[in-house]
């Protein structure tokens, strides 16, 4: 597939994507792949340096990206994350709710409900459930404005 001037087009050309948990693992791979398909990508993570490094990697490959520090459990952070993408690129087309609690020590401690603390449960629910809800809450108006989009 190519544009009228013969330049190659990606499946996500001119799209704007936000990836939470984008500093490593699946989030990093998703951000890099989306950018490779032409998306402008906001890479979000608690690890600000890691998010910035992925954004720099994308830009070094000719893409457009922004590293952004956000805590998915914070509504203010999630609103600011979506607003940063929309403010920079004029809209939003894709939200990848990738961030999740994957720390081995935390996951191991969650294996036995008899020993799980309420605080650990609340944190896991905040990251794994509230985070995606907040992302969707703040992304949906922009996706609707664009006539649709994707939430992953």
């Amino acid at each position: 597939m190519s544009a009228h001037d013969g330049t190659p087009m990606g499946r996500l050309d001119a799209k704007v994507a936000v990836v939470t948990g984008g500093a490593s693992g699946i989030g990093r791979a998703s951000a890099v792949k989306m950018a490779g398909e032409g998306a402008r990508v906001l890479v979000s993570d608690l690890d600000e340096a890691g998010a910035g490094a992925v954004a720099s990697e994308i830009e070094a490959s000719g893409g457009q990206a922004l590293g952004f520090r956000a805590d998915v459990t914070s509504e203010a952070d999630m609103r600011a994350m979506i607003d940063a993408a929309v403010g920079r690129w004029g809209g939003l087309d894709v939200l990848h709710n990738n961030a999740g609690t994957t720390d081995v020590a935390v996951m191991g401690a969650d294996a036995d409900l008899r020993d799980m603390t309420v605080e650990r449960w609340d944190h896991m629910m905040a990251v794994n459930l509230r985070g995606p809800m907040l992302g969707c809450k703040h992304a949906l108006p922009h996706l609707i404005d664009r006539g649709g989009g994707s939430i992953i």
Side-chain angles (χ1 to χ4, degrees), residues 20-146:
T20 67
S24 62
I26 293 169
R28 180 196 164 281
S30 296
V32 168
K33 179 66 174 173
M34 286 185 213
E37 289 290 339
R40 296 163 286 182
V41 183
L42 184 141
V43 181
S44 172
D45 204 285
L46 268 175
D47 175 4
E48 185 173 17
V54 173
S56 293
E57 176 186 345
I58 289 168
E59 290 186 329
S61 296
Q64 293 184 51
L66 173 65
F68 194 88
R69 188 211 176 275
D71 177 350
V72 298
T73 69
S74 164
E75 183 162 15
D77 282 9
M78 295 300 277
R79 181 184 309 109
M81 174 190 75
I82 297 298
D83 288 349
V86 171
R88 180 152 186 174
W89 293 302
L92 183 66
D93 302 286
V94 179
L95 170 64
H96 184 183
N97 286 308
N98 174 72
T101 300
T102 58
D103 183 309
V104 173
V106 171
M107 298 296 281
D110 292 346
D112 188 345
L113 185 61
R114 296 171 298 174
D115 297 326
M116 185 186 302
T117 65
V118 170
E119 293 78 19
R120 186 174 310 276
W121 172 263
D122 288 345
H123 176 72
M124 184 175 61
M125 292 296 108
V127 172
N128 296 343
L129 296 177
R130 184 188 319 143
M133 180 279 292
L134 290 171
C136 291
K137 175 181 177 178
H138 294 286
L140 277 170
H142 302 288
L143 297 174
I144 291 166
D145 284 349
R146 290 275 239 227

